[in-house]
Amino acid sequence: MSLKRIDLLICCGSGCISAGALKIKERFHEVLQEKNLANEINIIETGCMGPCDYGPVMVIYPEGTFYKAVSPDDVEEIVNEHFIKGRPVARLMLQDEENTFSTQKEVPFYQKQVKVALANCGYIDPESMDEYIATGGYEALGTVLTTMSPQETIDLIKKSGLRGRGGGGFPTHIKWQMVHDNASDEKYVICNGDEGDPGAFMDRSLLEGDPHRILEGMMIAAYAIGANAGFLYIRAEYPLAIKRIKLAIAQAKEVGLMGQNVFGTKFCFDAEVRTGAGAFVCGEETALIHSIEGSRGNPTPKPPYPALQGLWGKPTIVNNVETFGNIPTIFLKGAEWFASMGTETSKGTKVFALTGDIKNTGLVEVPMGITLRELIFDVGGGMTGGHKFKAVQLGGPSGGCLTVEHLDVPVDYESLKERGAMMGSGGVIVMNDTKCMVNIAKFFMDFCVDESCGKCSPCRIGLKQMLDILERITSGHGKEGDIEELQRLGEAVNKLSLCGLGQSAPNPVLSTIRYFREEYEAHIRDKSCATKVCLDLMHFDIDKSRCIGCSLCARKCPVTCITGSREDKYTIHQLDCVKCGNCQDVCPVKAVSRIPGMHPEVITKREAEAKSGNHHDE
Amino acid sequence: MKTLADLKKIREKAQEEMKLRGGNTRIKIVVGMGTSGIAMGAREVMKTFLEEIANRNLTDVLVTQTGEKGLSSMEPVVDLIEEGKPKVTYGNMTPEKVKKVVVEHIVNGRTVSDYVVATGN
């Protein structure tokens, strides 16, 4: 037997896997075998390390060296230089203009982060229960089962101030207390892993990176409320998360950490995975419960709350993956420790999935109350390509947009809600000044129209009406009063819808009208999209002083609407143009440019059509 | 597994497996693995350290490597770094000498002065 001297941690979160992490792992196995080093080096697959934009990433211990954007071709060099000669490969390290960041700790992305739920994500092998136990895993469960009563367990959560991480921010202890107080022969714990917001991957990363933590959190909850069965509802698009959580359940059962008489107490627990077909509405707790029961995933009115009548009519708690992920640590480190982080009403930390036009896209965990500026510019590294920050969409299709003036707003449940956004489950989409806010609102509305289950009419019909108006505005047919109509409809849908999906779906539209009303007005009155995103509200034009008359654009135009000659240069016939952009792409001298605003010829044509009653465009 | 004590046993064993990531080590052994070090047998030296430490079940020792140290005439060169003590550098190491260093220096805490080529930083 020989001692290992290097732990090579390769990030195998979904992001890095799609960037080729598994091939790199294979290559390491080959090279180490060839060099006869296989028994000196541990190769460990971990969950998401966070900085997905740098992927595939890896960390090499004992030094903690951090390599980014590694390719299979780099493997041999890493082995030869780093593993054999002890000379870390500087070109694979993160560098900016002045510094090289050699270890993971130095990387600026990690500096303002505080990892609670993600503590082990990217640090342990998610398929090894022993590694989870090494970090203190299952100790919280053992302590709770052997030394605390269910009521004491709930009281401790109450003291910690933990609130639901799935979106609403409902205090966790209140749900638990309701189910605890509700005597019943059967009760259930459900872990809501039906994460469906565009651009969100917090739950997936947690389930993939540290599955035992979620199980432990669920079991503590089960003990507190008196349940002995639980379900994890995870969408089928997350095959790796499902595989790892199933493996974790099997491992825990094998050693008796799950099953009958856990830790020699009377507590018995069994968990099962249920895969969802990927309907956004199934993230709503009543819809989720119906889906587990085998019926169509439609929401039902509350009350009765699931805490009274949930799964199969029995008292049930539904908590988000991240909520469960916080629980073991709260018991290990204490409620006071947890409550010492965050703001008056929002305690602890929050995991965010940073996406969009920022440098460090990825998975982060920061203390509640951090400002948006710190989140976007310090942790996120600022905007890419020298563009300016324009807006940030928090909470996905249920949330709202905030702007430059809100950058110093602390990120907590109340501050965000006051300003028309919401914490949501943690999706953060950062947008630069090339994005059209009307178009963004249309995108989210389109998503919600698709995902509306159709059970209640405000959501089914109201959202479709809103989408129609948005499509009208972005195609140049907007009219006076459209903005007010959107607001009226939005407020009605918000008040009248049955479940959270409909109630929150108008948020992106309402918040963009609130903060970017002038963009809507320019679309409607001036027929102009300043960002040149809405194709009907911009046009292409050839600058004759730059045109060299090469005819490339005319030859590449699919509708032959460009004519001219070497002498006269080329002209685009606006009425026929389909805005494909080929001419701009092929022009060797950059004479073709996008101009905001509908071309006057098109406006005249449309007006003439409108007068003659020929509305075929609408 | 029925008690917290059972869990603790598993935890201790697992922590041992993960100690490279934790950094809770008493002595760090740094083997110079530059070109000349390797030519003079640094790989064998490193391997012997790893084997000896595993055989003796020394849980608080870390073996790592570094590049050329500039002491080419004394290769293979090994540094022993202990918390709160001056660094000890051994030169002209061989697998036999490694075994002695492990017993004397690492287990019994006595520097093997015959092999020392430098001390301090």
Side-chain angles (χ1 to χ4, degrees), chain A residues 105-116:
Chain A
K105 275 189 205 132
E106 293 168 25
V107 173
F109 175 74
Y110 291 105
Q111 308 262 297
K112 286 205 171 170
Q113 295 198 47
V114 177
K115 303 231 176 182
V116 179

Side-chain angles (χ1 to χ4, degrees), chain A residues 18 93 127 188 274 395 437 513 561:
Chain A
S18 61
M93 292 173 185
E127 301 194 358
Y188 296 99
R274 286 284 185 276
M437 300 317 290
I513 292 179
C561 75

